[in-house]
Amino acid sequence: MEAYNALHALMKGPLPSLFFCIGDPVVGNPTQHMVEYAFRTMGFPGRYLTSRVTKEELAPALWGLRALAFAGGNVTAPHKQTVLQYLDELSESALLCKAVNTIVRRSDGTYYGDNTDGKGFLQSLKDRNLPVKDKKIVILGSGGAASAIATELVLAKAKEVVLVNRTEDRSRSIAKRLAGIRATILTVDRWEGSYSIPSDADIVVQATSVGLFSPAACVDVTFPKRNKPLIACDVVFNPVQTLFLQRSEEAGCTTVDGLGMLVNQGILGIEQWTGNTPDSEGMRDALEEAFGV
């Protein structure tokens, strides 16, 4: 039936909508498997292509996608910040965190950039009934994921967000950009040697790429004794059970893996592309199938 539908579109139209994922590297990126599953189960005539695009080829690649009238797509590292200059309009989240991971082609042919990473992260906590309002949250890292998550935490009225990175200037840049938007306190910690998670933190977010495709890799942190529960989250999605999450569990933390964030940010993008909400459980199952979980 799928082959018949594709032939019907080819012979009589309309052509399926085209979507993309660009980054470098993109080998091992599971988004295509998840999105195409969603398209199939929704009955949406879409095709999703994953393409390696180097920094040098980003500008011509994006003009090519415009010329081919791609309906939207995803942007991953290292292009989430540099892609902004090629877009016509940005969402509030994208403007605040200075990064885009989702692009939508509007009816007038303009391209709109959004960042669904932080929103997807917050939804993964909501799915577990874990609130962030009035909480102290420590974010390890200061890259695109950290910036997006910090942005949404501020908008969600977290009590305090602590940005931790070995390059302190990058953390300060994020803190300065988000200062004054809400009453959230923004502080910066220098990461020297092994970082000790503050005893009064409610949530810690491992927002670096350490551990991605590397089950034996883990950020250098310690979990001192504490008087209240700690929720430990990892943005890394492969492996699902990272060494950071394993060590967090051993320290008595409640853990949240990176698959929830990946699924939820994907759902938000698909909703913008199609106007419909896909099956979240099925999308997670598709990812777990791709990872052999």
Side-chain angles (χ1 to χ4, degrees), residues 29 55 67 114 129 138 194 199 247 269:
N29 188 302
K55 292 180 180 179
D114 190 14
N129 295 315
V138 175
S194 182
S199 59
R247 290 179 177 174

Side-chain angles (χ1 to χ4, degrees), residues 15-290:
L15 292 171
S17 299
L18 298 177
F19 299 87
F20 60 83
C21 176
I22 57 173
D24 183 23
V26 286
V27 173
N29 188 302
T31 306
Q32 180 171 336
H33 191 68
M34 176 180 70
V35 172
E36 290 193 332
Y37 166 85
F39 286 168
R40 286 195 305 272
T41 56
M42 295 167 64
F44 178 76
R47 296 290 183 272
Y48 189 96
L49 305 174
T50 301
S51 300
R52 175 177 176 262
V53 174
T54 65
K55 292 180 180 179
E56 295 75 19
E57 295 298 327
L58 179 60
L62 287 169
W63 288 117
L65 294 169
R66 280 181 182 265
L68 293 171
F70 270 68
N74 293 123
V75 182
T76 188
H79 307 314
K80 288 185 179 183
Q81 295 171 320
T82 52
V83 75
L84 272 68
Q85 61 188 302
Y86 303 108
L87 303 175
D88 303 298
E89 186 180 355
L90 299 173
S91 69
E92 179 186 27
S93 294
L95 283 168
L96 288 173
C97 71
K98 300 297 183 184
V100 161
N101 76 318
T102 300
I103 296 175
V104 182
R105 186 179 190 271
R106 295 278 179 78
S107 58
D108 61 359
T110 58
Y111 280 80
Y112 169 81
D114 190 14
N115 196 305
T116 63
D117 281 334
K119 298 169 189 172
F121 171 78
L122 282 192
Q123 187 59 50
S124 70
L125 294 182
K126 290 178 183 177
D127 292 342
R128 299 276 299 275
N129 295 315
L130 301 171
V132 299
K133 186 178 179 181
D134 299 326
K135 303 295 184 182
K136 179 174 179 175
I137 300 158
V138 175
I139 301 178
L140 306 174
S142 62
S147 180
I149 290 170
T151 297
E152 297 302 330
L153 290 173
V154 168
L155 293 175
K157 301 180 181 180
K159 179 181 179 181
E160 182 178 359
V161 173
V162 183
L163 299 159
V164 184
N165 197 55
R166 298 192 187 282
T167 306
E168 198 170 351
D169 287 347
R170 296 181 65 181
S171 297
R172 293 195 181 281
S173 176
I174 296 173
K176 182 179 180 180
R177 187 164 63 242
L178 299 177
I181 296 171
R182 295 287 189 272
T184 303
I185 300 168
L186 290 147
T187 57
V188 173
D189 264 3
R190 181 76 178 271
W191 196 342
E192 294 180 315
S194 182
Y195 181 75
S196 179
I197 307 298
S199 59
D200 61 341
D202 298 291
I203 301 172
V204 58
V205 186
Q206 198 299 103
T208 78
S209 61
V210 175
L212 184 62
F213 308 126
S214 303
C218 184
V219 290
D220 189 3
V221 296
T222 58
F223 298 89
K225 292 182 179 180
R226 50 194 304 109
N227 297 321
K228 63 177 182 178
L230 178 67
I231 300 163
C233 313
D234 203 330
V235 304
V236 169
F237 51 80
N238 189 2
V240 178
Q241 184 67 2
T242 62
L243 186 54
F244 173 77
L245 292 180
Q246 292 175 42
R247 290 179 177 174
S248 299
E249 283 188 351
E250 292 169 0
C253 302
T254 296
T255 60
V256 179
D257 65 48
L259 272 193
M261 174 178 168
L262 184 61
V263 169
N264 287 317
Q265 64 82 26
I267 289 172
L268 292 167
I270 291 169
E271 287 176 340
Q272 294 190 64
W273 296 335
T274 69
N276 295 304
T277 301
D279 169 25
S280 60
E281 291 186 8
M283 289 172 65
R284 185 178 175 104
D285 289 344
L287 286 175
E288 290 181 348
E289 177 186 7

